[in-house]
Structures are given as structure tokens and as C-alpha cells.
Amino acid sequence: LVRDNGKVLEYYETVEEALARYTSVSDAIVTLLCDKDMGTKALTVTYEIMGKELDLGGHTLSGRGDAVFQINKENGFTLHNGTVENTGDGDAIQLTFGYDNDWGNMASSGNLTVENLTVTAAKGWAIRVMEDASYADLYIQSGTFTGGLNAGTISGGHKVQISGGTFIANEGTHSIYYPGSGQGVTGL
């Protein structure tokens, strides 16, 4: 389901089709209507996706690959109202490095807001800012994050802001891990 300013635009068979379709509708909200298993590939949000919101609609986005959800979109995206779960060895959510043509083909590291999510990684991180995503911005408003948060490991301009949520470590990890020297993790 894709909505623009509250109006239902279209229904799609897959969330990938819905996100890819809206490269020119900047206020599009994609809403899951059922659980989605990504298998071993990630649902990836890049600069080409103009929509700024994926509402999981109380459903589960799951997988077992390196990640279930990846973002390297610079100008902001919100993921909320459901569950993201990696049952394999990988991470549930990753902020990654890429190139953003809207920014003059400059590097893009992702700007993500998460709220009202249950995020679980069986063995990896619930949320990970990848080492090369040195300018990623992550805003955590609420949710439960089993597998913990890896806030990035290199210096740069990235930041993580936490205003709510519960963080639970997997064995051998931390609930919140921040070894980098960027702007750091802040709480409100």
C-alpha cells in the first residue's frame, strides 16, 4: 500500500516494488499489509527512493542474510510500527555507505529515524552503523532492540541520538557500543 498525503495511491505485491515505484513522490508512505521475509537479501533504501517513510503496519520484516534493512539515503527516512528481525548471523538494520546523486554524487551514509519498533538480531547487531558510514545520522525514538546498538567505529560527522527504547545485548556484545570519535551517542 502506498499513500501520499493520506490518499491511497496504489497496492503492490512487494515492498520493493512499492518503494521503487515512488522515485518522484516525495511524501509517499509505504505501508506493509502482511509479514515480509526478505530471505538472504536486504531491503535497501537509497537516494533513488523519494518516499520518506515505511510503516510496517504492525507486521514483521524478516530475513537471515547480512542485514534485513539497509539505508544509505542522506535526506531522511522513517521506519516504524512493527518488527525487524534477522534470524541468521547478520544485523537487523544497517546504515551503510553509498553515493547520492541528489547531493552531486557525493558520499551518502544514511539518515534514519526509528520509532515503535521491535528489532531483533539472533547473532548480529539490532542496529549497526557500518564502519564506512562516517556521516550517518540515527535517531532512536522508541522500541526494543535485542542484539544491541553498534554506533559506528570511525571518526566523522555521524551522530546517534536516543530519546527512548530498551537495548538488550546478545551474548558477547554490548547493549550500546560506541568506540568511535564522531559526535557520539546522545540521549534526550
Side-chain angles (χ1 to χ4, degrees), residues 32-130:
L32 280 185
L33 299 177
C34 61
D35 293 347
K36 170 66 176 165
D37 182 355
M38 296 300 300
T40 57
K41 67 177 193 161
L43 176 61
T44 303
V45 175
T46 65
Y47 74 91
E48 291 130 338
I49 306 298
M50 293 301 291
K52 295 187 177 197
E53 187 174 336
L54 176 56
D55 182 344
L56 296 178
H59 297 288
T60 299
L61 184 65
S62 63
R64 57 194 174 280
D66 290 337
V68 176
F69 180 87
Q70 291 180 320
I71 183 168
N72 65 21
K73 177 180 178 170
E74 195 73 39
N75 57 352
F77 195 84
T78 299
L79 180 64
H80 62 103
N81 297 333
T83 300
V84 179
E85 180 179 34
N86 192 325
T87 59
D89 294 337
D91 305 320
I93 297 173
Q94 292 178 348
L95 283 77
T96 64
F97 175 82
Y99 286 95
D100 189 334
N101 288 337
D102 290 342
W103 291 74
N105 204 28
M106 295 176 63
S108 173
S109 296
N111 178 320
L112 179 65
T113 298
V114 295
E115 58 188 3
N116 192 29
L117 282 181
T118 299
V119 181
T120 303
K123 296 183 180 177
W125 294 96
I127 300 178
R128 174 187 247 176
V129 179
M130 298 301 286

